[in-house]
Amino acid sequence: VFTAEPVHDINKVESLRSLVAPAKVSIVVDNRGLEQEIADLSPSRRDLFLKKCRTALQNATMNSNNKNEKEAFLWDDAAVLRNLTWFSDCGEGRLAYNWQAEFRSRHIWHHPALATYQWMMWMDTDVFCTKPWERDPIATAIQNDLVLFFDNYPGGGTRELATRIYDAFHVALCKVSLTTEGQLESVLGTEQDATNDEYCNRARIRSVHGFFHITNLDFYRNPEVIDGIEQLL
């Protein structure tokens, strides 16, 4: 179980362990603390992050009814860092939510807690099974040597990704669709296609819904995939 903050209620942890025994349960904090994660950003990303947070904090202060509060703060980097928590919103949603999105798309593939595993079944904490599975999804993934086994597609989408994907993986991704057999099918393109607004660049790339999926960790640990993800993010 990955969590952004430590779970201090030992009784709840032991109750969970008893519930799923003999399966093993580990509670793993997925970060080194907000301040350290910010410090570890590259200089350009850190400057951009602090700029966005500074603007959000300034706006919140200016909207305050407390005149002294408005005049008290000079939002230098140190002041911004002192006032940030996982629940702060720097204009793009709470930091805690943004962190989990980054963790599950970037850091999880080489996390020490999963180092001895090849397969991962991810379930969000607000996902519940409403009836017993007729077939074991992990067994299905292994038997078919799948890279990604998912429950729902599409789960969302965005535009203008083609050039970023080309820079990361040296191929343009122009379209992704679901076949009648339940497999993802892609249309790839060249560098020229990636910058063509009428073809790839304005295409809406849909994603797998992240609440439940099974992944082959060996694929995502591949150096070429890891490097591509780093560049894409």
Side-chain angles (χ1 to χ4, degrees):
V1 178
F2 288 105
T3 174
E5 296 183 322
V7 177
H8 299 292
D9 192 330
I10 302 301
N11 291 330
K12 287 185 177 180
V13 175
E14 292 305 321
S15 176
L16 176 61
R17 285 177 173 155
S18 298
L19 178 67
V20 302
K24 178 184 176 182
V25 175
S26 300
I27 309 297
V28 180
V29 176
D30 62 17
N31 64 88
R32 292 160 291 180
L34 178 58
E35 185 175 345
Q36 187 60 51
E37 294 295 344
I38 295 172
D40 288 344
L41 293 172
S42 67
S44 60
R45 288 186 175 183
R46 185 174 185 273
D47 289 344
L48 179 60
F49 172 80
L50 291 176
K51 180 181 179 180
K52 290 182 177 181
C53 292
R54 182 181 298 107
T55 299
L57 290 168
Q58 286 173 337
N59 291 339
T61 302
M62 293 307 296
N63 291 332
S64 170
N65 293 322
N66 188 328
K67 181 179 179 181
N68 292 331
E69 185 179 68
K70 291 182 181 181
E71 297 175 350
F73 284 101
L74 295 174
W75 291 106
D76 57 13
D77 288 355
V80 171
L81 291 170
R82 284 197 304 270
N83 284 272
L84 289 180
T85 71
W86 283 115
F87 292 93
S88 297
D89 186 338
C90 290
E92 298 179 352
R94 290 187 296 112
L95 296 182
Y97 185 85
N98 293 338
W99 167 254
Q100 65 82 27
E102 177 178 334
F103 175 79
R104 67 197 291 177
S105 60
R106 178 185 181 191
H107 304 285
I108 195 170
W109 311 120
H110 45 78
H111 195 283
L114 298 178
T116 60
Y117 297 94
Q118 180 181 353
W119 299 90
M120 176 184 73
M121 181 171 71
W122 178 282
M123 296 178 69
D124 285 356
T125 52
D126 55 357
V127 171
F128 302 94
C129 300
T130 58
K131 61 181 180 180
W133 286 327
E134 295 180 2
R135 289 182 294 177
D136 182 347
I138 291 288
T140 299
I142 294 174
Q143 290 165 5
N144 292 277
D145 194 25
L146 301 179
V147 169
L148 175 65
F149 192 23
F150 52 89
D151 181 67
N152 185 52
Y153 175 91
T158 187
R159 300 185 189 277
E160 299 182 350
L161 276 178
T163 53
R164 293 175 60 188
I165 291 175
Y166 185 86
D167 290 342
F169 294 102
H170 310 298
V171 65
L173 181 61
C174 302
K175 182 180 179 181
V176 180
S177 57
L178 191 66
T179 69
T180 55
E181 291 78 23
Q183 296 180 326
L184 293 178
E185 185 175 65
S186 63
V187 175
L188 305 179
T190 64
E191 182 178 10
Q192 184 177 359
D193 294 327
T195 58
N196 187 335
D197 284 348
E198 296 182 1
Y199 184 39
C200 279
N201 194 37
R202 291 294 297 166
R204 190 180 188 199
I205 304 300
R206 310 298 294 266
S207 60
V208 169
H209 205 141
F211 67 89
F212 173 84
H213 54 82
I214 297 169
T215 46
N216 185 332
L217 295 173
D218 284 351
F219 173 84
Y220 289 95
R221 290 171 181 147
N222 184 299
E224 293 182 354
V225 176
I226 291 292
D227 290 344
I229 291 173
E230 290 287 342
Q231 294 184 51
L232 185 60
L233 298 179

